[in-house]
Amino acid sequence: MTPEPHDVAVVGAGPAGLGAAAEAAGAGLDVVLIDAGQRPGGQYWRHAEGGRGQHWKAYEGLSRRLGQVRRIPGTQVWLITRDQEGFTLRLTGHDPVTARAVILCPGGYDRQLPIPGWDLPGVMAAGGVQALLKEHGTAPGRRAVVAGTGPFLLPVAVALARAGVAVAAVAEANPVTGWLRDPFGALAAPSKSVEAVRYAAAMTARRVLYRTRTVITEIVGDGRAEAVRLRRADGTQEEIAADLVALGWGFTPSLELPIMLGAETRLDEDGSLVAVVDGSQRSTADGVYIAGEATGVGGAALALAEGRLAALTLAGSGKTARLRRAVRRGRRFAAAMRRACPVPAEWTAWLTESTVVCRCEEVPYGELRRACHDLGADDARAVKMLARPGMGWCQGRMCGFATAAIAARLNGRVATADDLRAFAARVPAFPVALEDLAEN
Amino acid sequence: MTYTMTFEGRPVRAEPGQSVAAALVASGVVSWRVTRGQGRPRGLFCGIGLCHDCLITIDGVPDQRACVVPARDGMRLGDRDDA
Amino acid sequence: MSADLVVVGAGVVGAACAYFATSAGLRVTVVERGGIAAGTSSAGEGNLLVSDKEPGPELDLALLSLRAWREDLGDHGGLWEYEQKGGLVVASSPEGAAALRSLAAAQRACGVEVAEVADPVDYEPNLAPGLAAGAHYPQDAQVQPMLAAAHLLRLARERGAEIRLRTEVTGFLRDGDQVTGVRTAHADISAGAVLNAAGTWAGEVAALAEVTVPVLPRRGFVLVTQPMPVGTIRHKVYAAEYVGNVASGDAELQTSPVVEGTRSGTILIGATRERVGFDRTVSPEALRRLAGQAAALFPVLRSVRVMRSYLGFRPYCPDHLPVIGPDPRAPGLWHACGHEGAGVGLSAGTGLLLAQALTGAPAALDLAPFAPARFEAAA
């Protein structure tokens, strides 16, 4: 017997997904909330059992409103298809779920740029470091350098310092004035700037060396990270000892589920691929709503508002005007932030022929160069097919953005949405055992 | 209580709620496999279940993501030959 | 701007034709509306097979092609991961075994090397036990099709060819009936001959010259697993029913297990066939059947993770034979298209034959069965 489809399946239980599920349930809809994590909260409200996180009241408020929501934690949607009644979501380790509509809140993860030595043990994504500290209470090193760009570097550095790790330096590639003191940004989302100032103060108190206009160009070590090389805008270089390197160049959204359903995508201000939505979180695919980082990286508060708006739109609520205004405002601020924290314009200059670009398949930069210059690859798709970056376990999540940029640059242009789509489409959405596929 | 696991035969302690990767890292293990192409050491990278750098054999089952599998008492971690 | 030959399409067939034509001394320009091998060439396994072909013109072309890959292109095999791994066809029932035996006998009479196998597990240790019989085809080989197409184009370029990507043909230059070149968005290119190597989209190109070539899409899915240790699967292994599915004209979804390893360690799992136009929607049913059949054939794969799948559109003609040769309805226009699921394997022979025909050299094979106008007579 096939159970009756849910009114809506919400995928992802971060701020956007929790907002969507709570609001949809409040509107009387029959909701199923599916998430990879064991506990709701996503990457933002990641916490140890019984622990507390930032903006905890908001989290508790949302959690209280999930009473009527069917929750399926600890699973991943590996396939989502449209059928007569709506949508079928196939899950790892769980029976499929059907729903008449879907609100996709897949979130995002640290955007990465390949750096010589970035595959040494001890080098981690900034978000991974944060997750270890918050959820597992583990500090993955003794002396850390946090490098990349964007406001997220600050909380990671502060959390490391609080955990007793010596933070030798924070290397921010861009000038900070762009986002720490942006008056329009501050007006649009005052709490954000307050947060940033607080982190800055915490770093000062702990004497963390905060370097702006400084890029990390190499990580050195024998079998594990031992030091990093930093280069400042004026060209001066220095080497700093560190056994932990946390890297993040902004975030990039997970788009495999929106793309699987045929939702249109576009290039955002920061060069990431994002899903196209209207002012009410409707994607271009009928019955598919998208909220949170997938529509453009903008942080937890915006994601929460978008999730709520998506649910109210789906429920046909007439009371969305204020929320729509809040989302518009939040998006303006997020766009300013993205413009202020681009990846360094000349980042490919630090690559050498042997720098590993694709960690899974161990494809060095030289192979990408040969694919373009010798074999005539003129886009990211062809580079991927000829040199194999993005063909391994992570399905292009780690190197996709960088490979698209490299392929474009080797052809004398900048990456297009098509270049990025070559790495963003994934079927299945996650690696899935053959026997699970056989029984789907 | 504290769990005790073994990694390549050596004892590794874990707190309840820790992932396998967190327990390994906390006990000073930073890499637990080598790549199949160049034999490079790999451990934890993305930390949130996406990059698959942290694959490990757990109780004889290969290719588990150490960063998402919760640590349990008595787990055997490491290559299949330990089993 | 002028050339002896304009090749329309930078897939593996167009690339092989460009290679053999430049090697024969022709001045060649390749025009392609997308990128290198952006169509069906990059969506297949890279099969160079004789085992799946029944006696007839296609088998003759396959044998010629295998020779061309091995001999004419033999020096370059390493560039495209050429591997003569051999094919292993297995039958699960006594009836299947009998059909396989009679097919093998007929193929042997045409020059195919084939050995009967009492227990397929002797050839593939990880195969499920209890299969009725098998046949081993040592000539079957594999290449990485993207690398093959890209390197053939590179070699053609070294021999003077010009490759123009992102250049769509919008029409033909004509002098009366005669085709004298192509019109593109960027420029006109005059040519002594124009070759339609547009694969599954060859019908659209032919229509620009006001001739009909009935090439249609037949969709297929392939699953790709996580990297496995070398030797997990040694041959291209498939079930005897596959041959029947290839030859069938049914529109509904057909699946039969085709499993093989690759140089990179991944295992490729095919094959599905269905006629659904150019629909790119993922079919859970197709994935389910592929996975189930492969796991039945190789139980060791059950817990192995699938990392990706892809789909492609095989260019097929109603009689399942490719279209190769000059088009009498539009003199100056030639075709090399409609190779269905065998385009990678047949590309080398196709290129060789076309270069011979274009330069008036003696033909290695009679092109009559592949004549472009043959469908008119049937209509």
Side-chain angles (χ1 to χ4, degrees), chain A residues 121-135:
Chain A
V123 181
M124 286 187 65
V129 172
Q130 186 80 326
L132 265 184
L133 292 168
K134 279 199 210 170
E135 191 170 350

Side-chain angles (χ1 to χ4, degrees), chain C residues 313-327:
Chain C
F313 300 100
R314 304 176 184 90
Y316 84 97
C317 290
D319 59 3
H320 299 286
L321 287 178
V323 177
I324 304 169
D327 194 327

Side-chain angles (χ1 to χ4, degrees), chain A residues 390-417:
Chain A
M391 298 281 248
W393 271 106
C394 86
Q395 302 170 294
R397 287 178 170 90
M398 296 302 119
C399 73
F401 172 81
T403 303
I406 290 169
R409 188 158 305 192
L410 286 169
N411 280 283
R413 57 184 182 81
V414 295
T416 64

Side-chain angles (χ1 to χ4, degrees), chain A residues 25-370:
Chain A
L29 298 181
D30 166 31
V31 184
V32 58
L33 175 61
I34 301 161
D35 189 49
Q38 294 296 338
R39 287 185 291 275
Q43 302 303 333
Y44 184 72
W45 282 312
R46 202 181 246 280
H47 54 283
E49 186 80 58
R52 294 164 63 88
Q54 56 217 331
H55 300 290
W56 200 243
K57 275 194 181 144
Y59 174 74
E60 286 178 328
L62 288 168
S63 301
R64 271 197 300 276
R65 295 172 63 192
L66 299 179
Q68 299 302 308
V69 172
R70 178 185 174 205
R71 280 151 66 169
I72 309 179
T75 185
Q76 285 174 311
V77 180
W78 59 266
L79 193 70
I80 183 164
T81 51
R82 186 187 290 277
D83 42 40
Q84 275 92 357
E85 295 219 59
F87 303 91
T88 299
L89 296 85
R90 289 174 170 79
L91 314 177
T92 50
H94 197 281
D95 287 339
V97 163
T98 56
R100 294 190 182 86
V102 290
I103 302 179
L104 303 177
C105 311
Y109 46 91
D110 294 293
R111 200 157 69 166
Q112 293 298 340
L113 300 179
I115 297 164
W118 75 309
D119 61 330
L120 287 168
V123 181
M124 286 187 65
V129 172
Q130 186 80 326
L132 265 184
L133 292 168
K134 279 199 210 170
E135 191 170 350
H136 307 289
T138 304
R142 294 200 177 87
R143 187 176 153 86
V145 168
V146 180
T149 186
F152 183 61
L153 301 182
L154 301 177
V156 173
V158 169
L160 279 168
R162 283 185 184 142
V165 177
V167 180
V170 177
E172 161 64 58
N174 287 292
V176 289
T177 43
W179 51 272
L180 259 187
R181 304 200 188 89
D182 171 44
F184 299 103
L187 280 177
S191 66
K192 274 261 178 211
S193 299
V194 171
E195 224 169 85
V197 169
R198 218 179 52 225
Y199 284 128
M203 295 212 309
T204 309
R206 290 170 197 277
R207 295 166 196 270
V208 172
L209 186 62
Y210 188 56
R211 289 265 166 78
T212 59
R213 301 183 195 226
T214 302
V215 292
I216 180 168
T217 57
E218 190 176 357
I219 300 152
V220 292
D222 182 11
R224 63 164 301 162
E226 291 167 6
V228 304
R229 298 212 167 103
L230 304 181
R231 192 177 60 219
R232 296 198 229 185
D234 63 9
T236 54
Q237 307 203 28
E238 64 182 311
E239 187 167 308
I240 297 180
D243 63 353
L244 171 64
V245 184
L247 298 174
W249 305 88
F251 294 92
T252 199
S254 298
L255 292 174
E256 51 276 350
L257 297 180
I259 289 174
M260 226 182 258
L261 288 174
E264 278 177 29
T265 51
R266 65 174 174 86
L267 212 55
D268 217 355
E269 292 91 353
D270 61 350
S272 275
L273 195 69
V274 298
V276 173
V277 290
D278 67 9
S280 302
Q281 308 305 133
R282 289 186 200 91
S283 78
T284 60
D286 199 31
V288 179
Y289 300 75
I290 306 175
E293 310 294 48
T295 70
V297 172
L302 176 59
L304 174 55
E306 287 192 359
R308 293 179 57 208
L309 178 56
L312 290 177
T313 305
L314 169 66
S317 164
K319 298 174 186 162
T320 58
R322 274 185 62 182
L323 204 46
R324 287 157 57 98
R325 272 199 304 280
V327 165
R328 268 204 306 276
R329 213 164 43 231
R331 284 188 188 165
R332 269 202 304 277
F333 174 71
M337 189 72 97
R338 289 191 296 263
R339 273 192 291 269
C341 304
V343 298
E346 298 304 320
W347 73 265
T348 54
W350 68 54
L351 300 172
T352 69
E353 287 285 287
S354 62
T355 304
V356 169
V357 175
C358 167
R359 303 169 64 93
C360 302
E361 295 295 300
E362 301 182 88
V363 183
Y365 174 67
E367 289 288 327
L368 273 58
R369 201 186 48 71
R370 278 188 285 282

